[in-house]
Amino acid sequence: MTLPHPKGQFDSSRAQWRSAPGDSHGSRVEVAFVDDLIGLRNGADPKSPILVFTQAEWDAFVLGAKDGEFDA
């Protein structure tokens, strides 16, 4: 299914969802890279809404996480 989005069309039928290894509790975040968009969803509920990010937004998030921006 292709989801209309202001950032572009995220084709979830082409998404190959991945999650972090070692998740045994079923409540995980899954990510998929389709063309120039990145999708994020609740892996415990694959029919949950998909958050869509541009590559620039994703890169900023990853850099912030690596820099400790989200540490409590």
Side-chain angles (χ1 to χ4, degrees):
M1 167 178 19
T2 301
L3 304 173
H5 195 276
K7 297 175 185 175
Q9 301 293 324
F10 184 81
D11 186 356
S12 62
S13 69
R14 294 179 33 228
Q16 294 183 355
W17 295 99
R18 297 182 276 174
S19 60
D23 175 33
S24 61
H25 301 292
S27 59
R28 63 185 183 276
V29 172
E30 292 182 327
V31 64
F33 298 85
V34 178
D35 299 325
D36 58 347
L37 295 174
I38 295 91
L40 202 65
R41 73 177 183 185
N42 176 354
D45 180 10
K47 295 191 184 298
S48 65
I50 299 170
L51 301 176
V52 179
F53 300 92
T54 64
Q55 188 66 53
E57 291 169 332
W58 185 255
D59 291 344
F61 167 73
V62 171
L63 286 174
K66 287 180 179 179
D67 198 32
E69 186 175 325
F70 309 110
D71 293 351

Short mmCIF file of all heavy atoms in Angstrom, two decimals:
data_model
loop_
_atom_site.label_atom_id
_atom_site.label_comp_id
_atom_site.label_asym_id
_atom_site.label_seq_id
_atom_site.Cartn_x
_atom_site.Cartn_y
_atom_site.Cartn_z
N MET A 1 0.84 -1.17 0.00
CA MET A 1 0.00 0.00 0.00
C MET A 1 0.89 1.24 0.00
O MET A 1 1.84 1.33 0.76
CB MET A 1 -0.90 -0.02 1.24
CG MET A 1 -1.56 1.31 1.45
SD MET A 1 -2.72 1.57 2.80
CE MET A 1 -2.47 0.33 3.97
N THR A 2 0.58 2.19 -0.85
CA THR A 2 1.30 3.45 -0.89
C THR A 2 0.56 4.47 -0.05
O THR A 2 -0.63 4.69 -0.25
CB THR A 2 1.45 3.96 -2.33
OG1 THR A 2 2.16 2.98 -3.09
CG2 THR A 2 2.21 5.27 -2.38
N LEU A 3 1.25 5.06 0.90
CA LEU A 3 0.64 6.03 1.79
C LEU A 3 0.95 7.44 1.31
O LEU A 3 2.11 7.78 1.16
CB LEU A 3 1.18 5.84 3.22
CG LEU A 3 1.01 4.45 3.82
CD1 LEU A 3 1.73 4.38 5.15
CD2 LEU A 3 -0.45 4.13 3.99
N PRO A 4 -0.08 8.26 1.06
CA PRO A 4 0.19 9.64 0.67
C PRO A 4 0.77 10.39 1.86
O PRO A 4 0.34 10.20 2.99
CB PRO A 4 -1.18 10.18 0.28
CG PRO A 4 -2.16 9.30 0.98
CD PRO A 4 -1.49 7.96 1.14
N HIS A 5 1.74 11.20 1.59
CA HIS A 5 2.40 11.93 2.67
C HIS A 5 2.95 13.22 2.09
O HIS A 5 3.43 13.23 0.95
CB HIS A 5 3.52 11.08 3.27
CG HIS A 5 4.00 11.58 4.57
ND1 HIS A 5 4.93 12.57 4.68
CD2 HIS A 5 3.66 11.25 5.83
CE1 HIS A 5 5.16 12.82 5.95
NE2 HIS A 5 4.40 12.03 6.67
N PRO A 6 2.93 14.32 2.86
CA PRO A 6 3.47 15.59 2.34
C PRO A 6 4.94 15.49 1.92
O PRO A 6 5.38 16.26 1.09
CB PRO A 6 3.32 16.56 3.51
CG PRO A 6 2.33 15.94 4.42
CD PRO A 6 2.37 14.46 4.18
N LYS A 7 5.66 14.54 2.48
CA LYS A 7 7.08 14.38 2.16
C LYS A 7 7.30 13.49 0.95
O LYS A 7 8.42 13.33 0.49
CB LYS A 7 7.82 13.80 3.37
CG LYS A 7 7.78 14.73 4.56
CD LYS A 7 8.40 14.09 5.77
CE LYS A 7 8.21 15.02 6.96
NZ LYS A 7 8.66 14.43 8.19
N GLY A 8 6.25 12.87 0.45
CA GLY A 8 6.36 11.97 -0.69
C GLY A 8 5.50 10.74 -0.47
O GLY A 8 4.74 10.66 0.50
N GLN A 9 5.60 9.78 -1.34
CA GLN A 9 4.82 8.55 -1.26
C GLN A 9 5.67 7.45 -0.63
O GLN A 9 6.68 7.06 -1.18
CB GLN A 9 4.37 8.13 -2.65
CG GLN A 9 3.52 9.15 -3.37
CD GLN A 9 2.17 9.35 -2.70
OE1 GLN A 9 1.57 8.42 -2.19
NE2 GLN A 9 1.69 10.58 -2.71
N PHE A 10 5.24 6.98 0.54
CA PHE A 10 5.94 5.88 1.21
C PHE A 10 5.23 4.60 0.83
O PHE A 10 4.10 4.34 1.25
CB PHE A 10 5.95 6.07 2.73
CG PHE A 10 6.75 5.01 3.44
CD1 PHE A 10 8.13 5.11 3.53
CD2 PHE A 10 6.12 3.92 4.01
CE1 PHE A 10 8.87 4.14 4.16
CE2 PHE A 10 6.86 2.94 4.66
CZ PHE A 10 8.23 3.05 4.73
N ASP A 11 5.87 3.77 0.01
CA ASP A 11 5.29 2.53 -0.49
C ASP A 11 5.56 1.41 0.52
O ASP A 11 6.59 0.76 0.47
CB ASP A 11 5.87 2.20 -1.85
CG ASP A 11 5.20 1.00 -2.49
OD1 ASP A 11 4.33 0.36 -1.85
OD2 ASP A 11 5.56 0.69 -3.64
N SER A 12 4.62 1.20 1.44
CA SER A 12 4.82 0.21 2.49
C SER A 12 4.86 -1.22 1.95
O SER A 12 5.40 -2.10 2.60
CB SER A 12 3.74 0.33 3.57
OG SER A 12 2.47 0.07 3.03
N SER A 13 4.35 -1.45 0.74
CA SER A 13 4.41 -2.80 0.16
C SER A 13 5.84 -3.17 -0.22
O SER A 13 6.16 -4.34 -0.34
CB SER A 13 3.50 -2.90 -1.06
OG SER A 13 3.99 -2.12 -2.14
N ARG A 14 6.70 -2.18 -0.38
CA ARG A 14 8.11 -2.43 -0.71
C ARG A 14 9.00 -2.37 0.53
O ARG A 14 10.21 -2.58 0.43
CB ARG A 14 8.58 -1.41 -1.75
CG ARG A 14 7.86 -1.59 -3.07
CD ARG A 14 8.30 -0.58 -4.13
NE ARG A 14 9.67 -0.19 -4.06
CZ ARG A 14 10.10 1.07 -4.10
NH1 ARG A 14 9.25 2.06 -4.18
NH2 ARG A 14 11.37 1.35 -4.04
N ALA A 15 8.42 -2.06 1.68
CA ALA A 15 9.21 -1.90 2.91
C ALA A 15 9.69 -3.25 3.42
O ALA A 15 8.94 -4.22 3.45
CB ALA A 15 8.37 -1.21 3.98
N GLN A 16 10.95 -3.29 3.81
CA GLN A 16 11.52 -4.45 4.49
C GLN A 16 11.82 -3.99 5.91
O GLN A 16 12.84 -3.34 6.16
CB GLN A 16 12.78 -4.95 3.78
CG GLN A 16 12.49 -5.50 2.41
CD GLN A 16 13.74 -6.05 1.74
OE1 GLN A 16 14.84 -5.95 2.24
NE2 GLN A 16 13.54 -6.65 0.59
N TRP A 17 10.90 -4.29 6.81
CA TRP A 17 10.97 -3.79 8.17
C TRP A 17 12.06 -4.50 8.95
O TRP A 17 12.19 -5.71 8.89
CB TRP A 17 9.61 -3.96 8.86
CG TRP A 17 8.57 -3.12 8.20
CD1 TRP A 17 7.64 -3.53 7.28
CD2 TRP A 17 8.38 -1.72 8.36
NE1 TRP A 17 6.88 -2.46 6.88
CE2 TRP A 17 7.31 -1.33 7.53
CE3 TRP A 17 9.01 -0.74 9.14
CZ2 TRP A 17 6.86 -0.03 7.45
CZ3 TRP A 17 8.54 0.56 9.07
CH2 TRP A 17 7.49 0.91 8.23
N ARG A 18 12.83 -3.69 9.70
CA ARG A 18 13.92 -4.23 10.53
C ARG A 18 13.78 -3.67 11.94
O ARG A 18 13.34 -2.55 12.14
CB ARG A 18 15.28 -3.80 9.97
CG ARG A 18 15.55 -4.36 8.59
CD ARG A 18 16.91 -3.96 8.13
NE ARG A 18 16.80 -2.62 7.53
CZ ARG A 18 17.83 -1.92 7.12
NH1 ARG A 18 19.04 -2.38 7.25
NH2 ARG A 18 17.65 -0.74 6.58
N SER A 19 14.19 -4.49 12.90
CA SER A 19 14.21 -4.04 14.29
C SER A 19 15.56 -4.39 14.89
O SER A 19 16.32 -5.16 14.31
CB SER A 19 13.07 -4.67 15.09
OG SER A 19 13.18 -6.06 15.10
N ALA A 20 15.83 -3.85 16.05
CA ALA A 20 17.09 -4.13 16.73
C ALA A 20 17.14 -5.61 17.11
O ALA A 20 16.14 -6.19 17.51
CB ALA A 20 17.23 -3.25 17.97
N PRO A 21 18.31 -6.22 16.99
CA PRO A 21 18.43 -7.63 17.38
C PRO A 21 18.26 -7.79 18.89
O PRO A 21 18.52 -6.88 19.66
CB PRO A 21 19.85 -8.01 16.95
CG PRO A 21 20.58 -6.73 16.83
CD PRO A 21 19.56 -5.67 16.51
N GLY A 22 17.78 -8.95 19.29
CA GLY A 22 17.68 -9.26 20.70
C GLY A 22 16.38 -8.85 21.35
O GLY A 22 16.22 -9.01 22.55
N ASP A 23 15.43 -8.35 20.58
CA ASP A 23 14.16 -7.97 21.16
C ASP A 23 13.33 -9.22 21.38
O ASP A 23 12.92 -9.87 20.44
CB ASP A 23 13.41 -7.00 20.25
CG ASP A 23 12.02 -6.68 20.78
OD1 ASP A 23 11.88 -6.64 22.02
OD2 ASP A 23 11.11 -6.47 19.97
N SER A 24 13.08 -9.56 22.63
CA SER A 24 12.31 -10.76 22.93
C SER A 24 10.96 -10.45 23.56
O SER A 24 10.23 -11.36 23.92
CB SER A 24 13.12 -11.67 23.85
OG SER A 24 13.38 -10.99 25.07
N HIS A 25 10.63 -9.19 23.72
CA HIS A 25 9.39 -8.83 24.40
C HIS A 25 8.27 -8.46 23.44
O HIS A 25 7.16 -8.20 23.86
CB HIS A 25 9.64 -7.67 25.38
CG HIS A 25 10.66 -7.99 26.41
ND1 HIS A 25 10.45 -8.93 27.38
CD2 HIS A 25 11.91 -7.53 26.60
CE1 HIS A 25 11.54 -9.03 28.14
NE2 HIS A 25 12.43 -8.18 27.68
N GLY A 26 8.54 -8.38 22.16
CA GLY A 26 7.51 -8.08 21.18
C GLY A 26 7.15 -6.62 21.04
O GLY A 26 6.43 -6.25 20.13
N SER A 27 7.63 -5.79 21.93
CA SER A 27 7.34 -4.35 21.82
C SER A 27 8.57 -3.66 21.28
O SER A 27 9.46 -3.27 22.01
CB SER A 27 6.94 -3.76 23.18
OG SER A 27 7.99 -3.96 24.09
N ARG A 28 8.64 -3.56 20.00
CA ARG A 28 9.85 -3.03 19.37
C ARG A 28 9.47 -1.98 18.32
O ARG A 28 8.37 -1.95 17.82
CB ARG A 28 10.63 -4.14 18.71
CG ARG A 28 9.88 -4.82 17.58
CD ARG A 28 10.64 -6.01 17.03
NE ARG A 28 9.95 -6.61 15.92
CZ ARG A 28 8.97 -7.51 16.01
NH1 ARG A 28 8.56 -7.89 17.19
NH2 ARG A 28 8.42 -8.00 14.94
N VAL A 29 10.43 -1.17 18.01
CA VAL A 29 10.28 -0.19 16.93
C VAL A 29 10.91 -0.81 15.69
O VAL A 29 11.98 -1.41 15.76
CB VAL A 29 10.99 1.13 17.31
CG1 VAL A 29 11.00 2.08 16.13
CG2 VAL A 29 10.32 1.76 18.51
N GLU A 30 10.23 -0.68 14.57
CA GLU A 30 10.76 -1.18 13.31
C GLU A 30 10.98 -0.02 12.36
O GLU A 30 10.23 0.96 12.38
CB GLU A 30 9.79 -2.18 12.66
CG GLU A 30 9.67 -3.47 13.44
CD GLU A 30 8.74 -4.46 12.78
OE1 GLU A 30 7.75 -4.04 12.13
OE2 GLU A 30 9.00 -5.66 12.92
N VAL A 31 12.00 -0.15 11.53
CA VAL A 31 12.35 0.89 10.57
C VAL A 31 12.47 0.27 9.19
O VAL A 31 12.86 -0.90 9.05
CB VAL A 31 13.67 1.61 10.99
CG1 VAL A 31 14.85 0.67 10.96
CG2 VAL A 31 13.92 2.83 10.14
N ALA A 32 12.09 1.04 8.17
CA ALA A 32 12.23 0.59 6.78
C ALA A 32 12.67 1.78 5.93
O ALA A 32 12.21 2.91 6.12
CB ALA A 32 10.91 0.04 6.25
N PHE A 33 13.56 1.51 5.00
CA PHE A 33 14.08 2.52 4.08
C PHE A 33 13.51 2.21 2.70
O PHE A 33 13.77 1.16 2.13
CB PHE A 33 15.61 2.48 4.05
CG PHE A 33 16.22 2.80 5.38
CD1 PHE A 33 16.40 1.81 6.33
CD2 PHE A 33 16.61 4.09 5.68
CE1 PHE A 33 16.96 2.11 7.58
CE2 PHE A 33 17.17 4.40 6.92
CZ PHE A 33 17.34 3.39 7.87
N VAL A 34 12.69 3.14 2.17
CA VAL A 34 12.08 2.97 0.86
C VAL A 34 12.36 4.23 0.05
O VAL A 34 11.91 5.32 0.40
CB VAL A 34 10.56 2.73 0.97
CG1 VAL A 34 9.94 2.61 -0.42
CG2 VAL A 34 10.26 1.49 1.80
N ASP A 35 13.12 4.05 -1.02
CA ASP A 35 13.54 5.17 -1.85
C ASP A 35 14.24 6.21 -0.96
O ASP A 35 15.17 5.87 -0.27
CB ASP A 35 12.37 5.76 -2.64
CG ASP A 35 11.75 4.73 -3.58
OD1 ASP A 35 12.50 3.90 -4.12
OD2 ASP A 35 10.52 4.75 -3.76
N ASP A 36 13.75 7.44 -0.94
CA ASP A 36 14.42 8.47 -0.14
C ASP A 36 13.66 8.79 1.15
O ASP A 36 13.87 9.84 1.75
CB ASP A 36 14.64 9.73 -0.97
CG ASP A 36 13.34 10.31 -1.51
OD1 ASP A 36 12.31 9.61 -1.46
OD2 ASP A 36 13.36 11.45 -1.98
N LEU A 37 12.77 7.89 1.57
CA LEU A 37 12.01 8.08 2.80
C LEU A 37 12.28 6.96 3.79
O LEU A 37 12.63 5.84 3.39
CB LEU A 37 10.51 8.16 2.50
CG LEU A 37 10.05 9.34 1.66
CD1 LEU A 37 8.57 9.21 1.32
CD2 LEU A 37 10.32 10.66 2.39
N ILE A 38 12.11 7.25 5.06
CA ILE A 38 12.31 6.28 6.12
C ILE A 38 11.00 6.18 6.90
O ILE A 38 10.41 7.19 7.29
CB ILE A 38 13.45 6.71 7.08
CG1 ILE A 38 14.79 6.72 6.34
CG2 ILE A 38 13.56 5.76 8.27
CD1 ILE A 38 15.16 8.00 5.73
N GLY A 39 10.54 4.94 7.09
CA GLY A 39 9.33 4.69 7.85
C GLY A 39 9.66 4.09 9.20
O GLY A 39 10.60 3.31 9.33
N LEU A 40 8.87 4.45 10.20
CA LEU A 40 9.05 3.95 11.56
C LEU A 40 7.67 3.51 12.05
O LEU A 40 6.69 4.24 11.87
CB LEU A 40 9.59 5.08 12.43
CG LEU A 40 10.33 4.75 13.70
CD1 LEU A 40 11.63 4.03 13.40
CD2 LEU A 40 10.62 6.04 14.46
N ARG A 41 7.60 2.29 12.64
CA ARG A 41 6.32 1.81 13.15
C ARG A 41 6.51 0.97 14.40
O ARG A 41 7.62 0.57 14.74
CB ARG A 41 5.58 0.98 12.09
CG ARG A 41 6.20 -0.39 11.86
CD ARG A 41 5.42 -1.21 10.88
NE ARG A 41 6.01 -2.53 10.74
CZ ARG A 41 5.60 -3.44 9.90
NH1 ARG A 41 4.60 -3.18 9.08
NH2 ARG A 41 6.18 -4.62 9.85
N ASN A 42 5.39 0.67 15.06
CA ASN A 42 5.37 -0.19 16.23
C ASN A 42 5.38 -1.64 15.73
O ASN A 42 4.39 -2.12 15.17
CB ASN A 42 4.11 0.10 17.04
CG ASN A 42 3.94 -0.81 18.23
OD1 ASN A 42 4.69 -1.75 18.43
ND2 ASN A 42 2.94 -0.53 19.03
N GLY A 43 6.48 -2.34 15.93
CA GLY A 43 6.62 -3.70 15.45
C GLY A 43 5.69 -4.69 16.13
O GLY A 43 5.38 -5.74 15.58
N ALA A 44 5.22 -4.36 17.33
CA ALA A 44 4.29 -5.24 18.03
C ALA A 44 2.90 -5.15 17.40
O ALA A 44 2.08 -6.03 17.60
CB ALA A 44 4.22 -4.86 19.51
N ASP A 45 2.66 -4.09 16.64
CA ASP A 45 1.38 -3.89 15.95
C ASP A 45 1.67 -3.42 14.53
O ASP A 45 1.64 -2.22 14.24
CB ASP A 45 0.53 -2.86 16.70
CG ASP A 45 -0.82 -2.63 16.03
OD1 ASP A 45 -1.19 -3.38 15.10
OD2 ASP A 45 -1.50 -1.68 16.44
N PRO A 46 1.98 -4.35 13.62
CA PRO A 46 2.37 -3.96 12.25
C PRO A 46 1.34 -3.13 11.50
O PRO A 46 1.68 -2.49 10.52
CB PRO A 46 2.59 -5.31 11.56
CG PRO A 46 2.90 -6.26 12.67
CD PRO A 46 2.08 -5.79 13.83
N LYS A 47 0.10 -3.11 11.95
CA LYS A 47 -0.91 -2.28 11.29
C LYS A 47 -0.99 -0.89 11.90
O LYS A 47 -1.85 -0.08 11.54
CB LYS A 47 -2.27 -2.97 11.36
CG LYS A 47 -2.30 -4.27 10.57
CD LYS A 47 -3.70 -4.79 10.42
CE LYS A 47 -3.76 -6.12 9.75
NZ LYS A 47 -3.27 -6.18 8.40
N SER A 48 -0.07 -0.59 12.82
CA SER A 48 -0.05 0.72 13.46
C SER A 48 0.34 1.80 12.44
O SER A 48 0.89 1.49 11.38
CB SER A 48 0.94 0.73 14.63
OG SER A 48 2.26 0.54 14.15
N PRO A 49 0.06 3.06 12.75
CA PRO A 49 0.46 4.14 11.83
C PRO A 49 1.98 4.14 11.60
O PRO A 49 2.74 3.74 12.48
CB PRO A 49 0.02 5.40 12.57
CG PRO A 49 -1.03 4.96 13.51
CD PRO A 49 -0.66 3.57 13.92
N ILE A 50 2.36 4.58 10.44
CA ILE A 50 3.77 4.67 10.07
C ILE A 50 4.18 6.14 10.10
O ILE A 50 3.54 6.98 9.47
CB ILE A 50 4.01 4.08 8.67
CG1 ILE A 50 3.62 2.60 8.64
CG2 ILE A 50 5.47 4.28 8.24
CD1 ILE A 50 3.59 1.98 7.25
N LEU A 51 5.23 6.42 10.86
CA LEU A 51 5.81 7.77 10.85
C LEU A 51 6.79 7.82 9.69
O LEU A 51 7.58 6.91 9.50
CB LEU A 51 6.53 8.04 12.17
CG LEU A 51 5.68 7.94 13.44
CD1 LEU A 51 6.57 8.14 14.66
CD2 LEU A 51 4.57 8.95 13.41
N VAL A 52 6.76 8.89 8.92
CA VAL A 52 7.61 9.02 7.73
C VAL A 52 8.57 10.18 7.91
O VAL A 52 8.18 11.28 8.30
CB VAL A 52 6.74 9.22 6.47
CG1 VAL A 52 7.62 9.39 5.23
CG2 VAL A 52 5.77 8.06 6.29
N PHE A 53 9.84 9.91 7.60
CA PHE A 53 10.91 10.91 7.74
C PHE A 53 11.67 11.04 6.44
O PHE A 53 11.84 10.07 5.70
CB PHE A 53 11.90 10.48 8.84
CG PHE A 53 11.27 10.34 10.19
CD1 PHE A 53 10.78 9.11 10.60
CD2 PHE A 53 11.14 11.42 11.03
CE1 PHE A 53 10.19 8.96 11.84
CE2 PHE A 53 10.55 11.29 12.28
CZ PHE A 53 10.07 10.05 12.69
N THR A 54 12.18 12.24 6.18
CA THR A 54 13.10 12.43 5.07
C THR A 54 14.49 11.96 5.51
O THR A 54 14.74 11.77 6.71
CB THR A 54 13.19 13.91 4.66
OG1 THR A 54 13.75 14.65 5.75
CG2 THR A 54 11.84 14.47 4.27
N GLN A 55 15.39 11.82 4.58
CA GLN A 55 16.74 11.41 4.93
C GLN A 55 17.41 12.43 5.84
O GLN A 55 18.09 12.07 6.80
CB GLN A 55 17.59 11.20 3.66
CG GLN A 55 18.95 10.59 3.95
CD GLN A 55 18.87 9.17 4.50
OE1 GLN A 55 18.23 8.32 3.90
NE2 GLN A 55 19.50 8.92 5.63
N ALA A 56 17.19 13.72 5.58
CA ALA A 56 17.78 14.77 6.42
C ALA A 56 17.26 14.70 7.85
O ALA A 56 18.01 14.86 8.81
CB ALA A 56 17.50 16.15 5.81
N GLU A 57 15.96 14.46 8.00
CA GLU A 57 15.38 14.34 9.35
C GLU A 57 15.94 13.12 10.07
O GLU A 57 16.28 13.18 11.26
CB GLU A 57 13.86 14.22 9.26
CG GLU A 57 13.18 15.49 8.81
CD GLU A 57 11.72 15.31 8.47
OE1 GLU A 57 11.32 14.20 8.05
OE2 GLU A 57 10.98 16.29 8.62
N TRP A 58 16.05 12.01 9.36
CA TRP A 58 16.59 10.78 9.96
C TRP A 58 18.05 10.99 10.37
O TRP A 58 18.45 10.60 11.47
CB TRP A 58 16.45 9.63 8.97
CG TRP A 58 16.88 8.32 9.55
CD1 TRP A 58 18.03 7.63 9.29
CD2 TRP A 58 16.16 7.53 10.51
NE1 TRP A 58 18.07 6.48 10.02
CE2 TRP A 58 16.94 6.39 10.78
CE3 TRP A 58 14.95 7.68 11.17
CZ2 TRP A 58 16.53 5.40 11.67
CZ3 TRP A 58 14.55 6.70 12.05
CH2 TRP A 58 15.34 5.58 12.30
N ASP A 59 18.84 11.59 9.50
CA ASP A 59 20.25 11.84 9.81
C ASP A 59 20.39 12.72 11.05
O ASP A 59 21.24 12.46 11.90
CB ASP A 59 20.96 12.51 8.63
CG ASP A 59 21.12 11.57 7.44
OD1 ASP A 59 20.97 10.34 7.60
OD2 ASP A 59 21.38 12.08 6.33
N ALA A 60 19.54 13.74 11.18
CA ALA A 60 19.59 14.62 12.35
C ALA A 60 19.24 13.84 13.61
O ALA A 60 19.88 14.02 14.66
CB ALA A 60 18.63 15.80 12.17
N PHE A 61 18.26 12.96 13.54
CA PHE A 61 17.88 12.14 14.69
C PHE A 61 19.03 11.22 15.10
O PHE A 61 19.38 11.14 16.28
CB PHE A 61 16.63 11.32 14.36
CG PHE A 61 16.36 10.24 15.37
CD1 PHE A 61 15.87 10.56 16.63
CD2 PHE A 61 16.61 8.92 15.07
CE1 PHE A 61 15.64 9.56 17.57
CE2 PHE A 61 16.38 7.92 15.99
CZ PHE A 61 15.89 8.24 17.25
N VAL A 62 19.62 10.54 14.14
CA VAL A 62 20.71 9.60 14.44
C VAL A 62 21.90 10.35 15.04
O VAL A 62 22.49 9.90 16.03
CB VAL A 62 21.12 8.80 13.19
CG1 VAL A 62 22.38 8.00 13.42
CG2 VAL A 62 19.97 7.87 12.77
N LEU A 63 22.26 11.49 14.47
CA LEU A 63 23.38 12.27 15.02
C LEU A 63 23.08 12.73 16.45
O LEU A 63 23.95 12.69 17.32
CB LEU A 63 23.68 13.47 14.13
CG LEU A 63 24.37 13.15 12.80
CD1 LEU A 63 24.47 14.41 11.95
CD2 LEU A 63 25.75 12.58 13.05
N GLY A 64 21.84 13.16 16.69
CA GLY A 64 21.45 13.57 18.05
C GLY A 64 21.54 12.42 19.03
O GLY A 64 22.00 12.59 20.17
N ALA A 65 21.10 11.24 18.61
CA ALA A 65 21.16 10.07 19.48
C ALA A 65 22.61 9.70 19.79
O ALA A 65 22.96 9.41 20.95
CB ALA A 65 20.44 8.88 18.83
N LYS A 66 23.46 9.73 18.79
CA LYS A 66 24.88 9.41 18.99
C LYS A 66 25.56 10.44 19.90
O LYS A 66 26.49 10.12 20.63
CB LYS A 66 25.61 9.34 17.65
CG LYS A 66 25.28 8.12 16.85
CD LYS A 66 26.06 8.12 15.54
CE LYS A 66 25.76 6.89 14.73
NZ LYS A 66 26.49 6.88 13.44
N ASP A 67 25.08 11.67 19.84
CA ASP A 67 25.67 12.75 20.63
C ASP A 67 25.10 12.82 22.05
O ASP A 67 25.49 13.68 22.84
CB ASP A 67 25.42 14.08 19.90
CG ASP A 67 26.33 15.19 20.38
OD1 ASP A 67 27.47 14.91 20.76
OD2 ASP A 67 25.87 16.36 20.36
N GLY A 68 24.14 11.94 22.37
CA GLY A 68 23.56 11.91 23.71
C GLY A 68 22.44 12.89 23.92
O GLY A 68 22.01 13.12 25.07
N GLU A 69 21.92 13.46 22.86
CA GLU A 69 20.88 14.47 22.97
C GLU A 69 19.62 13.96 23.68
O GLU A 69 18.89 14.72 24.29
CB GLU A 69 20.52 14.97 21.56
CG GLU A 69 19.56 16.12 21.52
CD GLU A 69 19.38 16.62 20.09
OE1 GLU A 69 20.34 16.61 19.31
OE2 GLU A 69 18.26 17.04 19.78
N PHE A 70 19.36 12.66 23.58
CA PHE A 70 18.14 12.11 24.15
C PHE A 70 18.37 11.33 25.44
O PHE A 70 17.45 10.69 25.95
CB PHE A 70 17.45 11.20 23.10
CG PHE A 70 17.27 11.90 21.79
CD1 PHE A 70 18.01 11.51 20.68
CD2 PHE A 70 16.38 12.95 21.64
CE1 PHE A 70 17.86 12.15 19.46
CE2 PHE A 70 16.21 13.60 20.43
CZ PHE A 70 16.96 13.18 19.34
N ASP A 71 19.58 11.35 25.97
CA ASP A 71 19.88 10.64 27.21
C ASP A 71 19.14 11.31 28.37
O ASP A 71 19.04 12.52 28.44
CB ASP A 71 21.38 10.65 27.50
CG ASP A 71 22.16 9.82 26.48
OD1 ASP A 71 21.53 9.13 25.67
OD2 ASP A 71 23.40 9.89 26.50
N ALA A 72 18.67 10.49 29.25
CA ALA A 72 17.94 11.03 30.41
C ALA A 72 18.90 11.45 31.51
O ALA A 72 19.98 11.07 31.65
CB ALA A 72 16.99 9.96 30.96
#
